[in-house]
Amino acid sequence: INANASTINVYNNWTCRGTLNPGTSTVYLNGTGNQTVTGSTTFYNLNVTTATAKTVTFTQDAMVYIVSGGTATFVGTSGNILTLTSSSLAPWYLRLDPTATYSISYVNVSESNAGGYQTIYANDGTVTDGSLNINWIFATPGDVITHFERVDLSGVNVNTN
């Protein structure tokens, strides 16, 4: 499908079984209930904005790729959290081109692998780590992030060639 500069409103579920040539289109997942994204899709703009609590479930291994110049928007509201999750404990993938942007607030995200091009800084205090996320930073400004752990190396020869 050649989307060109289209606006695509999805009121049910999104299933990609082919190729979406996104052009400069915007796909809105704007159904009133929970929605599922099946398959891997390349988007220019993907927008999920809700004023009511909602869950978007990405099938295991689904890849959402936002191309150069595009934007990923995932926005809930205070008291009406948007949940982004996988259909299993295996991840769904969010890949943002280095020149793509994102807007994420009032979201609970889990089982997402955002590795590849950009780290997702979801640190405005409204986004929560639902667990099993890769390449997401959830710490709020002023938090100290450490990845240190005391390890007993007695008896370990670290100079082995």
Side-chain angles (χ1 to χ4, degrees):
I1 296 173
N2 291 317
N4 300 313
S6 301
T7 296
I8 302 169
N9 293 294
V10 180
Y11 297 103
N12 291 306
N13 298 318
W14 175 270
T15 300
C16 185
R17 292 195 178 107
T19 301
L20 174 69
N21 296 313
T24 57
S25 65
T26 300
V27 173
Y28 292 92
L29 295 181
N30 51 7
T32 57
N34 296 336
Q35 293 182 273
T36 299
V37 174
T38 302
S40 296
T41 306
T42 299
F43 296 97
Y44 185 76
N45 295 317
L46 175 62
N47 186 306
V48 185
T49 300
T50 184
T52 60
K54 176 178 179 171
T55 297
V56 176
T57 302
F58 297 85
T59 57
Q60 173 183 332
D61 294 327
M63 182 175 298
V64 172
Y65 180 70
I66 307 298
V67 298
S68 176
T71 301
T73 303
F74 301 110
V75 177
T77 60
S78 179
N80 292 294
I81 300 299
L82 171 62
T83 299
L84 306 174
T85 190
S86 175
S87 61
S88 72
L89 292 179
W92 63 280
Y93 298 88
L94 177 60
R95 299 289 194 258
L96 299 174
D97 180 271
T99 64
T101 60
Y102 57 89
S103 174
I104 302 171
S105 59
Y106 296 101
V107 171
N108 178 297
V109 63
S110 58
E111 296 98 24
S112 176
N113 182 337
Y117 302 108
Q118 285 194 46
T119 297
I120 306 294
Y121 290 92
N123 57 356
D124 70 353
T126 68
V127 182
T128 56
D129 179 1
S131 76
L132 302 175
N133 294 298
I134 298 170
N135 216 34
W136 287 77
I137 303 294
F138 295 95
T140 56
D143 285 351
V144 175
I145 302 172
T146 63
H147 296 285
F148 300 103
E149 178 178 321
R150 184 178 177 95
V151 177
D152 181 4
L153 295 177
S154 60
V156 176
N157 182 354
V158 294
N159 296 314
T160 303
N161 292 333

